[in-house]
Amino acid sequence: MQIYMLLVLMTVGAFLISENRNEADNSFKTSELDAIASSMLIYSNAVGNYAKANPGVAASVPDTSLALPNWYVRVVGVNNYISAGTAYVYYTGKPDLVDVLAEKTESVNVGTNQSGTLVSPKWGVTPIIIPGGVPSGAVVYVL
Protein backbone atom coordinates (compact mmCIF):
# COMPACT_ATOMS: atom_id res chain seq x y z
CA MET A 1 0.00 0.00 0.00
CA GLN A 2 2.78 2.44 0.86
CA ILE A 3 4.51 1.68 -2.44
CA TYR A 4 1.32 2.55 -4.37
CA MET A 5 0.97 5.78 -2.42
CA LEU A 6 4.59 6.65 -3.16
CA LEU A 7 4.07 5.92 -6.87
CA VAL A 8 0.96 8.13 -6.95
CA LEU A 9 2.82 10.99 -5.25
CA MET A 10 5.75 10.65 -7.64
CA THR A 11 3.41 10.66 -10.65
CA VAL A 12 1.56 13.74 -9.40
CA GLY A 13 4.87 15.48 -8.68
CA ALA A 14 6.20 14.70 -12.14
CA PHE A 15 2.99 16.02 -13.70
CA LEU A 16 3.20 19.29 -11.74
CA ILE A 17 6.85 19.78 -12.69
CA SER A 18 5.96 19.14 -16.33
CA GLU A 19 3.10 21.66 -16.23
CA ASN A 20 5.34 24.33 -14.66
CA ARG A 21 7.94 23.71 -17.34
CA ASN A 22 5.32 24.10 -20.11
CA GLU A 23 4.14 27.39 -18.59
CA ALA A 24 7.74 28.63 -18.39
CA ASP A 25 8.37 27.62 -22.02
CA ASN A 26 5.22 29.44 -23.16
CA SER A 27 6.18 32.52 -21.18
CA PHE A 28 9.64 32.51 -22.76
CA LYS A 29 8.20 32.17 -26.27
CA THR A 30 5.77 35.03 -25.65
CA SER A 31 8.56 37.23 -24.29
CA GLU A 32 10.81 36.39 -27.24
CA LEU A 33 8.10 37.25 -29.79
CA ASP A 34 7.33 40.49 -27.95
CA ALA A 35 11.01 41.48 -27.99
CA ILE A 36 11.33 40.77 -31.73
CA ALA A 37 8.13 42.73 -32.48
CA SER A 38 9.33 45.69 -30.40
CA SER A 39 12.69 45.62 -32.17
CA MET A 40 10.91 45.60 -35.53
CA LEU A 41 8.86 48.64 -34.57
CA ILE A 42 11.90 50.68 -33.53
CA TYR A 43 13.79 49.57 -36.62
CA SER A 44 10.83 50.32 -38.89
CA ASN A 45 10.86 53.99 -37.90
CA ALA A 46 14.43 54.41 -39.12
CA VAL A 47 13.90 52.30 -42.27
CA GLY A 48 10.66 54.12 -43.09
CA ASN A 49 12.33 57.52 -42.74
CA TYR A 50 15.17 56.39 -45.00
CA ALA A 51 12.74 55.07 -47.62
CA LYS A 52 10.82 58.37 -47.71
CA ALA A 53 14.03 60.37 -48.06
CA ASN A 54 15.44 58.02 -50.73
CA PRO A 55 12.53 56.93 -52.96
CA GLY A 56 14.84 55.71 -55.75
CA VAL A 57 16.47 53.01 -53.61
CA ALA A 58 15.61 49.38 -54.34
CA ALA A 59 17.78 47.38 -51.96
CA SER A 60 18.43 46.35 -48.41
CA VAL A 61 19.93 49.27 -46.51
CA PRO A 62 22.77 48.74 -44.01
CA ASP A 63 22.18 49.85 -40.43
CA THR A 64 25.03 52.36 -40.74
CA SER A 65 22.89 54.31 -43.24
CA LEU A 66 19.91 54.46 -40.90
CA ALA A 67 19.25 57.02 -38.16
CA LEU A 68 18.90 54.44 -35.37
CA PRO A 69 19.01 55.39 -31.68
CA ASN A 70 22.46 54.91 -30.13
CA TRP A 71 21.08 52.44 -27.58
CA TYR A 72 19.32 50.28 -30.18
CA VAL A 73 20.70 46.82 -30.95
CA ARG A 74 18.84 45.15 -33.81
CA VAL A 75 17.60 41.66 -33.07
CA VAL A 76 19.39 39.16 -35.30
CA GLY A 77 17.03 38.22 -38.10
CA VAL A 78 15.24 41.56 -38.34
CA ASN A 79 15.99 42.87 -41.83
CA ASN A 80 14.84 45.49 -44.30
CA TYR A 81 14.20 46.03 -47.96
CA ILE A 82 13.25 49.29 -49.65
CA SER A 83 11.56 49.69 -53.00
CA ALA A 84 9.99 52.79 -54.62
CA GLY A 85 9.87 54.72 -51.35
CA THR A 86 8.20 51.88 -49.43
CA ALA A 87 9.99 50.17 -46.55
CA TYR A 88 9.61 46.50 -45.71
CA VAL A 89 10.86 45.35 -42.32
CA TYR A 90 10.78 41.59 -42.00
CA TYR A 91 11.73 38.57 -39.93
CA THR A 92 11.87 34.93 -40.94
CA GLY A 93 11.56 31.79 -38.88
CA LYS A 94 8.86 32.67 -36.35
CA PRO A 95 5.41 32.53 -37.98
CA ASP A 96 3.66 33.27 -34.64
CA LEU A 97 5.36 36.67 -34.63
CA VAL A 98 2.78 37.97 -37.11
CA ASP A 99 0.01 37.88 -34.48
CA VAL A 100 2.09 39.76 -31.90
CA LEU A 101 3.20 42.39 -34.41
CA ALA A 102 -0.33 42.83 -35.78
CA GLU A 103 -1.66 43.34 -32.26
CA LYS A 104 1.02 45.94 -31.47
CA THR A 105 0.46 47.92 -34.68
CA GLU A 106 -3.25 47.30 -35.32
CA SER A 107 -2.34 47.73 -38.99
CA VAL A 108 -3.38 46.02 -42.21
CA ASN A 109 0.25 46.54 -43.25
CA VAL A 110 1.43 43.63 -41.10
CA GLY A 111 1.32 40.10 -42.39
CA THR A 112 3.15 37.23 -43.98
CA ASN A 113 4.70 37.33 -47.44
CA GLN A 114 2.94 34.57 -49.34
CA SER A 115 4.36 34.39 -52.85
CA GLY A 116 4.73 38.16 -53.15
CA THR A 117 1.43 39.14 -51.52
CA LEU A 118 0.95 40.36 -47.96
CA VAL A 119 -1.51 38.18 -46.06
CA SER A 120 -2.75 39.81 -42.85
CA PRO A 121 -3.77 37.71 -39.83
CA LYS A 122 -6.78 40.00 -39.33
CA TRP A 123 -7.85 40.90 -42.88
CA GLY A 124 -6.57 38.01 -44.98
CA VAL A 125 -5.13 38.58 -48.45
CA THR A 126 -4.33 42.25 -49.01
CA PRO A 127 -3.63 44.11 -52.26
CA ILE A 128 -0.10 44.88 -50.99
CA ILE A 129 2.58 43.44 -53.26
CA ILE A 130 5.84 42.40 -51.59
CA PRO A 131 9.03 42.75 -53.69
CA GLY A 132 11.34 39.83 -54.38
CA GLY A 133 13.92 41.17 -51.92
CA VAL A 134 11.71 39.98 -49.05
CA PRO A 135 11.76 36.20 -48.53
CA SER A 136 8.53 34.27 -48.99
CA GLY A 137 7.13 33.21 -45.61
CA ALA A 138 8.64 36.19 -43.77
CA VAL A 139 6.63 38.23 -41.29
CA VAL A 140 6.54 41.72 -42.84
CA TYR A 141 5.69 45.24 -41.69
CA VAL A 142 5.13 47.52 -44.69
CA LEU A 143 5.65 51.27 -44.28
Side-chain angles (χ1 to χ4, degrees):
M1 180 74 166
Q2 291 177 358
I3 292 176
Y4 292 120
M5 195 62 128
L6 181 61
L7 286 173
V8 168
L9 288 175
M10 288 176 60
T11 303
V12 169
F15 174 76
L16 291 175
I17 289 171
S18 174
E19 284 299 308
N20 285 340
R21 184 178 189 113
N22 287 340
E23 287 178 25
D25 287 347
N26 287 340
S27 178
F28 174 76
K29 288 176 187 175
T30 301
S31 296
E32 180 184 27
L33 293 175
D34 189 58
I36 295 168
S38 295
S39 179
M40 287 180 76
L41 291 176
I42 295 165
Y43 193 62
S44 69
N45 284 331
V47 177
N49 289 337
Y50 185 93
K52 288 176 188 167
N54 300 280
V57 172
S60 179
V61 178
D63 290 355
T64 54
S65 297
L66 302 173
L68 291 163
N70 292 336
W71 51 264
Y72 177 75
V73 178
R74 181 174 50 88
V75 170
V76 174
V78 173
N79 295 295
N80 76 72
Y81 190 80
I82 295 174
S83 178
T86 301
Y88 304 85
V89 174
Y90 64 91
Y91 188 91
T92 56
K94 301 244 183 244
D96 293 341
L97 174 63
V98 72
D99 295 318
V100 176
L101 190 59
E103 184 177 313
K104 283 183 172 288
T105 63
E106 298 181 358
S107 172
V108 70
N109 291 356
V110 171
T112 304
N113 178 10
Q114 292 187 6
S115 302
T117 300
L118 187 72
V119 178
S120 166
K122 293 184 180 184
W123 293 279
V125 177
T126 70
I128 300 170
I129 304 300
I130 306 297
V134 178
S136 189
V139 174
V140 185
Y141 183 23
V142 181
L143 298 124

